[in-house]
Structures are given as C-alpha cells and as structure tokens.
Amino acid sequence: MTDNKFSNLNIDQILAGFKNKTFSSFELASYYLARIKNDKLNAFISVNEHVLEEAKQADQKIAQGEMALLTGVPIAIKDILLVKGQRATGASKMLANYIAPYTATAVKRLEDQGAIILGKTNCDEFAMGSSNENSAFGPVLNPHDITRVPGGSSGGSAVAVAADLAPIALGTDTAGSSRQPASFCGLVGLKPSYGRVSRYGSMAMASSLDQIGPMAKSVKDAAYLLQVIAGKDKYDLSASYNTVPDYLNLLKTQDPHKLKVGLPKEYFSDALAPSIKQALDKTIDFLHEQNIVVEKVSLPYTEYALATYYILMPAELSSNLARFDGLRFGHHESNDLNLDDWYKKVRATGFSAESKRRIMLGTYILSAGYYDAYYKQAQKLRTVIKQDFQKVFTKVDVLLTPTTPTTAFKLDEKLSDPLSMYLADIFTVSANIAGICGLNLPMGVDENKLPIGIQLLADAFQEEKLFVLGNFIEQNII
Ligand code: GLN
C-alpha cells in the first residue's frame, strides 16, 4: 500500500497528478482515509465525515478548470484549531464532545483555496507538552521507532505527514510545538513571526506566543501553506497588516548566496547530542563551500529564555483556561452541586495533571504581591531577549542552530520529570518570546536512524529568508 502512485506526494506532485489525470482528489483522499483507518500510531482524534464528498466536489471544479491554489489537496489539522461542525477537543477531556461553531481563519483560508480537510490530529492537551503524551486521547507514536515520542505538542500533525496519512498539516507553536515534532519526525516545521497568521479559531494557550504553523515534507510545501494562511484578519487584531510577500516566487528568484548566516555561540554547547552537532557541522561546511558568509554571533540573554517562558506562558494560560468551567465551555457535572463544588469537580476531572500544574503556577504568578516579582521581571527579560535578536539581525540574515538538544526520546522517559520535559524547548522557545520566525529542517538521521533537525531563525516578517536558505540546503545536501 505504501509503494504506489499516491505515496509520499508533495503539493506540486499532487497538483500535477490532478492536472494530468493520473489520479483524482477522490482517489487521493480515499488513499489517505484508508491509511488513517489503519493507523496504529494514534495520529488522529477525528476524521472529517464529509471528506470524500468534498473531494468529489473538488474533482468537479478541477474538471471545469476552476482551480484555486490548493483545489482538492487534502490536509490534516491539529485539534487545537476549529473547523465548523467538526469536533474540536484540544486533546482535552474538557472538550471531548465539543463541536466547533465556526472555522479558524487559517483553516478557512485553506478551504477558500480549495484544500480539503481529512480530520483533526492528536496533540498535547491545549498544546501543552513536548512529547504528545499529555493527550486525553492517548499518546502518539513516532513512525521511525514506535517506542519513542513524536515530539509535541503537534505530534499528531507531524506523524500524519511523516507516516503519509496526509501530505501536509497545520500545527501550532507556542514554544516549539511545530518545529520540535517536525525535528523528531523528519519534517519541515515552521513557526511564523508573531502576527503573520491570524490566531482566530485557535484555542488560546499563551496568546502573546501562539502561532499556527505549517508542517510539511519540504520547504516549498511549507511556503505554499504560509502563502495561503498568512495575512491580516478583522477577527484578530494581533494579525499584522504587513503585506504577505509572494513566497513561492521569492523561493524561485532570490539568491541564497546573498544571505549572511550567524551561529549563535550560546546554542552550540557541549551538551548537544554528537549526531546533532555533526549535522550542524555538515551544514556549515556546505555553506562555506558555497561561499555563503557564516559568522559567529552572540545572544547573551539566551540562558534566561526558558525561565522567562515558564513565567509568561502559565500566566497567560491560567487566564485563557479560566473559560473551561463547565458553564461557559467544558464538560458538565451534576446540576445539584453548589457553585464552589461545581468548579472544583469540573476542573478536577476535566483537566490533566499538566494543565492543573500550569494553571496553579500561572495563578500564583499573577497573584497580588507576586506579580511584580515574577511576571513583571519576566516581561523585562522578554524585552532584552528581543533586543538580543534585533542586534544580531543587523549583522546577519539567518541564524543556524539546533532545533532540539536530542533526537526523539523514549515514551515515558520524561513524563514524571516535568523539568527535563521543559528542557526540550530550550532552542525553540526564544523565537516565540522575541516574536521572530523559525523553521526546522530535517538533516539526516542519528545512529538509531532517528531524524535530526536543524533550525533556521530570521527576524520578524522575514520568512522568505528561511524559505530561500532552507530550500537551498534541502535541494543540495539533504
Ligand atoms: N513544550 C512547550 C510547552 O509545553 C511547547 C508548547 C507549544 O509550543 N505549544 O509549553
């Protein structure tokens, strides 16, 4: 079943298949649907019941020559994003039976360009986690080694693409959740700049850090997705009015040799797994061979990024999750409880241990007397971390770093030790704090045949630089 005309297609190959009548959208959607039904990796929480009808309609459009950019192309959507009429659980017991009343802007734009939604992918509860083990629907397994995690929180989206259950997917990234699972599963994962993509219809985790991120098999596919989902939105005032560049055209026309690459010394510690260090060295050698300028730079406040995140994120998260009380949103309990008992019961039974831990942390951080000591200090650190990047981006265009300190770890390995789990984000989190963009690029495998990822970072609203350099590296050394 894997080795046929449908396997591992990218967007261009799918569009060519439709055009040349090698296959229809209906046949392609049927292929993915059959694979999703047989999936043993637990990548999906729900499947779109209307997908085959929608594929048929797409085929009619194709036959009539009424094609938009992604007409008939199937996509998987992280179950943090709303799709009208479909279940939206956030991988939480709280929303186990919730049906979305409207569609997230990013998804709506994909639909407007003709994409068809295969279903909603598993993830960590409300996007909290680095291993996809924190889901009310069970863990997701890594297709490269089923004893290992796929990364999180967008683990289901990563596995959907890596195991060829979908050609492309959307994830979300608050501290690394599209890049880190992309790295563990051998994919391209993008965190767009803050404000590049509307967050409307994305369940809020930490609103000042969240971005919806494309996950794909190639840089070009990620560019296709960003092209469609980016841009201003009257429903989200944090979505930028900056014009969206023609990424697909820039990918063809811009010269990667003109980009200057920086290596931030704080990201190249001895703690890095040797295989990841080698993958970075290989990339650096390639850049040298190509006469691309590579220079060492420094981001001195890097060491404070994770601590800053674990103050800002729980503070925002505790406010955002307050709506899940069984009255406004969330599962119901018996009606004869008084209000206090109702709250206690609903929140004790609806949230996982990780959510409770973070809600308590956030509530503490924001409480009178502690706000100044923690939240305000963290906001100041956020400013200096941002300034670090602003300075460095006056000298170089793109930073090259590892995405993660290790390749995929074992299931259960870090579950009982939240601090070691939190360290999985150490190289990805700064991009969210600073609001800049970042991309994971697969770069070979380690001694256990597990994918290795490297990260490219660029200043806010310069995603095209990530695409141009990423595509060049992908075409030449991957
Ligand atoms: N691992 C991070 C966390 O648990 C990532 C979250 C994310 O990017 N959504 O908070």
Side-chain angles (χ1 to χ4, degrees):
M1 187 83 181
T2 49
D3 217 13
N4 63 28
K5 63 181 173 184
F6 299 120
S7 57
N8 286 313
L9 297 173
N10 63 31
I11 295 178
D12 280 337
Q13 289 165 332
I14 291 175
L15 296 177
F18 294 160
K19 201 171 154 214
N20 304 332
K21 301 197 169 41
T22 320
F23 49 78
S24 65
S25 173
F26 182 84
E27 287 172 310
L28 185 63
S30 308
Y31 163 79
Y32 290 122
L33 222 64
R35 292 183 64 80
I36 294 168
K37 285 212 176 99
N38 291 323
D39 171 37
K40 305 270 184 308
L41 306 168
N42 202 20
F44 280 78
I45 290 177
S46 57
V47 173
N48 173 12
E49 288 165 15
H50 307 291
V51 65
L52 291 179
E53 277 161 58
E54 290 169 20
K56 264 191 195 156
Q57 285 163 11
D59 282 329
Q60 278 168 10
K61 292 218 166 105
I62 295 166
Q64 287 156 5
E66 286 170 23
M67 283 176 84
L69 196 61
L70 297 176
T71 300
V73 179
I75 183 165
I77 306 286
K78 183 179 184 177
D79 208 11
I80 291 290
L81 304 173
L82 306 191
V83 182
K84 189 176 175 170
Q86 291 187 32
R87 244 168 110 203
T89 69
S92 177
K93 202 180 149 195
M94 268 292 178
L95 294 180
N97 300 309
Y98 181 68
I99 304 291
Y102 64 92
T103 298
T105 297
V107 178
K108 176 81 178 48
R109 288 183 179 162
L110 287 164
E111 288 178 341
D112 289 347
Q113 287 298 325
I116 52 173
I117 291 154
L118 287 164
K120 310 293 291 296
T121 55
N122 204 345
C123 56
D124 285 298
E125 183 181 31
F126 295 122
M128 285 177 250
S130 302
S131 65
N132 216 133
E133 292 167 289
N134 183 32
S135 161
F137 298 88
V140 181
L141 311 182
N142 190 317
H144 298 273
D145 174 351
I146 57 166
T147 67
R148 291 177 191 266
V149 304
S153 60
S154 313
S157 287
V159 170
V161 180
D164 206 27
L165 312 174
I168 41 174
L170 285 188
T172 64
D173 191 313
T174 304
S177 278
S178 63
R179 289 162 287 160
Q180 186 253 16
S183 147
F184 281 10
C185 292
L187 303 173
V188 173
L190 174 74
K191 186 208 86 78
S193 314
Y194 188 75
R196 180 73 296 179
V197 180
S198 163
R199 291 176 295 109
Y200 181 70
S202 173
M203 290 177 200
M205 176 184 166
S207 314
S208 77
L209 302 157
D210 298 341
Q211 272 293 290
I212 296 171
M215 306 183 73
K217 291 194 201 78
S218 69
V219 171
K220 188 171 181 194
D221 280 5
Y224 259 111
L225 284 174
L226 187 65
Q227 192 76 60
V228 172
I229 66 175
K232 66 180 182 197
D233 179 17
K234 66 177 177 196
Y235 298 120
D236 174 10
L237 294 181
S238 71
S240 167
Y241 276 69
N242 289 355
T243 33
V244 180
D246 185 343
Y247 296 118
L248 292 166
N249 187 41
L250 292 173
L251 203 53
K252 275 189 279 180
T253 54
Q254 293 225 324
D255 182 0
H257 296 89
K258 296 219 170 88
L259 297 170
K260 286 191 188 149
V261 177
L263 307 174
K265 67 169 198 261
E266 292 77 7
Y267 285 70
F268 289 79
S269 87
D270 293 338
L272 202 59
S275 58
I276 298 180
K277 176 82 179 47
Q278 276 165 22
L280 286 161
D281 287 343
K282 186 167 119 186
T283 314
I284 296 165
D285 287 346
F286 167 74
L287 297 173
H288 282 310
E289 275 163 32
Q290 293 293 324
N291 291 320
I292 291 177
V293 177
V294 181
E295 57 182 78
K296 292 213 165 86
V297 294
S298 174
L299 295 162
Y301 283 99
T302 299
E303 63 173 303
Y304 300 104
L306 202 61
T308 304
Y309 173 72
Y310 275 95
I311 300 289
L312 296 180
M313 175 274 295
E316 294 186 22
L317 177 140
S318 66
S319 323
N320 278 328
L321 296 197
R323 67 183 65 135
F324 299 110
D325 56 7
L327 296 169
R328 289 167 290 177
F329 293 94
H331 78 145
H332 289 269
E333 285 295 335
S334 144
N335 280 334
D336 23 298
L337 296 170
N338 69 34
L339 193 62
D340 278 353
D341 289 341
W342 170 282
Y343 261 80
K344 277 185 206 152
K345 187 104 191 260
V346 166
R347 295 169 76 78
T349 53
F351 284 131
S352 69
E354 184 61 28
S355 294
K356 287 179 207 161
R357 182 163 29 240
R358 294 188 192 202
I359 290 169
M360 283 194 281
L361 251 176
T363 309
Y364 176 80
I365 288 161
L366 291 178
S367 56
Y370 296 107
Y371 175 90
D372 282 351
Y374 296 107
Y375 189 74
K376 222 165 153 186
Q377 291 296 95
Q379 288 289 28
K380 287 183 187 161
L381 274 166
R382 182 175 201 166
T383 303
V384 291
I385 290 168
K386 244 186 184 163
Q387 286 167 348
D388 259 4
F389 281 106
Q390 277 163 359
K391 269 185 228 150
V392 152
F393 286 129
T394 60
K395 292 192 219 135
V396 296
D397 299 288
V398 178
L399 296 168
L400 170 65
T401 78
T403 307
T404 52
T406 64
T407 50
F409 47 88
K410 293 260 184 195
L411 287 152
D412 273 337
E413 190 180 318
K414 296 184 197 281
L415 254 192
S416 54
D417 180 3
L419 279 184
S420 85
M421 187 75 92
Y422 296 170
L423 282 169
D425 302 321
I426 190 137
F427 300 132
T428 47
V429 64
S430 298
N432 302 71
I433 292 177
I436 62 171
C437 53
L439 180 105
N440 176 72
L441 204 58
M443 186 54 68
V445 290
D446 71 359
E447 57 286 0
N448 297 317
K449 302 230 172 350
L450 297 170
I452 298 171
I454 60 168
Q455 179 175 236
L456 303 178
L457 298 170
D459 206 354
F461 300 101
Q462 310 219 318
E463 280 81 357
E464 59 276 13
K465 289 183 177 170
L466 303 179
F467 293 147
V468 169
L469 189 67
N471 181 57
F472 186 58
I473 295 173
E474 181 184 73
Q475 296 301 315
N476 289 285
I477 50 170
I478 296 175

